[in-house]
Amino acid sequence: MTNPVFDRIKNDIENNDVVLYMKGDAMFPQCGFSATVVEILNYFNVEYTTHNVLQDESLREGIKQFSDWPTIPQLYVKGEFVGGCDIVREMAANGELVAHFESNGIEPKN
Amino acid sequence: MALTSPEIETMILEILPDAKVQVQDMRGDGSQFAAHVVSKEFEGKNRVQQHQMVYKALKGKVGEELHALSLQTSVPE
């Protein structure tokens, strides 16, 4: 059985290097955890796309099932789930996140 | 119904009996928790998998009643 939301997510994370599923958008995050991940991505100055799950209930539930992860935000890099806010924050602090970007060929924006 | 720190700790220990679990109720009202879980069971698993194990222990409450659980996992040194 195909799930149209899963197909959308798959298509999205395969075609965008860095994808953040969040509450709100990068300009106006609507939750502190989402805001934290936006800040981190901005700090590393990488290009990313965001999806506001608050505007799409099917995406909000779908992404939780797709990742087997119960909370939003969720960060994907090159089609792979990296983690939620706690993991991203920890990886940013210990240098793993920048290493992860580099090993995936993701460079800071000019 | 808000959970309490001891309830969260008990649920995690049911699934990870060897774990050292610290749970803090950050505001004292059951709305925001921080948990640090150290278990041998995490060995060889990445951080996402480690967190998923704890989320499973909490039986679907994370993201629902437990919206604000900040989680840190590690393997014992």
Side-chain angles (χ1 to χ4, degrees), chain A residues 6-31:
Chain A
F6 281 18
D7 289 343
R8 250 173 66 206
I9 295 168
K10 241 181 254 170
N11 188 54
D12 185 37
I13 61 177
E14 276 166 13
N15 290 299
N16 297 283
D17 285 349
V18 184
V19 184
L20 179 64
Y21 296 89
M22 64 179 287
K23 292 180 179 172
D25 59 37
M27 288 299 287
F28 295 103
Q30 289 180 44
C31 142

Side-chain angles (χ1 to χ4, degrees), chain A residues 3 7 15 17 19 24 60 64 68-69 76-77 95 103 105 108:
Chain A
N3 178 326
D7 289 343
N15 290 299
D17 285 349
V19 184
R60 184 176 185 169
K64 291 180 188 176
D68 188 19
W69 195 260
Y76 275 83
V77 173
S103 68

Side-chain angles (χ1 to χ4, degrees), chain B residues 12 16 18-19 36-46 49-51 53-54 72-76:
Chain B
I12 295 171
L16 300 166
D18 80 299
H36 189 183
V37 184
V38 184
S39 168
K40 283 202 295 282
E41 302 289 324
F42 294 148
E43 228 157 48
K45 303 204 159 59
N46 68 30
Q49 292 166 330
Q50 294 176 5
H51 283 218
M53 288 165 76
V54 176
Q72 200 193 341
T73 56
S74 53
V75 178

Side-chain angles (χ1 to χ4, degrees), chain A residues 6 54 61 76 78 88:
Chain A
F6 281 18
L54 296 178
E61 285 316 306
Y76 275 83
K78 291 269 180 179
V88 171

Side-chain angles (χ1 to χ4, degrees), chain A residues 67-70 82 86 90 96, chain B residues 47-48 51-52 62 70-71:
Chain A
S67 313
D68 188 19
W69 195 260
V82 174
D86 295 322
E90 207 177 323
E96 275 178 61
Chain B
R47 238 185 240 111
V48 167
H51 283 218
Q52 277 167 337
V62 178
S70 159
L71 184 61

Side-chain angles (χ1 to χ4, degrees), chain B:
Chain B
M1 267 275 285
L3 287 165
T4 64
S5 304
E7 283 168 342
I8 294 170
E9 192 176 328
T10 304
M11 290 176 87
I12 295 171
L13 285 170
E14 269 171 33
I15 304 285
L16 300 166
D18 80 299
K20 284 214 172 77
V21 186
Q22 283 177 302
V23 184
Q24 248 187 306
D25 185 337
M26 303 301 279
R27 289 185 183 154
D29 61 1
S31 70
Q32 200 177 330
F33 292 94
H36 189 183
V37 184
V38 184
S39 168
K40 283 202 295 282
E41 302 289 324
F42 294 148
E43 228 157 48
K45 303 204 159 59
N46 68 30
R47 238 185 240 111
V48 167
Q49 292 166 330
Q50 294 176 5
H51 283 218
Q52 277 167 337
M53 288 165 76
V54 176
Y55 291 154
K56 288 221 167 68
L58 295 170
K59 299 188 176 86
K61 291 186 191 297
V62 178
E64 303 295 329
E65 297 108 292
L66 266 178
H67 160 69
L69 171 70
S70 159
L71 184 61
Q72 200 193 341
T73 56
S74 53
V75 178
E77 308 225 336

Side-chain angles (χ1 to χ4, degrees), chain A residues 78-92:
Chain A
K78 291 269 180 179
E80 191 200 337
F81 179 53
V82 174
C85 178
D86 295 322
I87 290 180
V88 171
R89 193 164 38 193
E90 207 177 323
M91 288 176 75

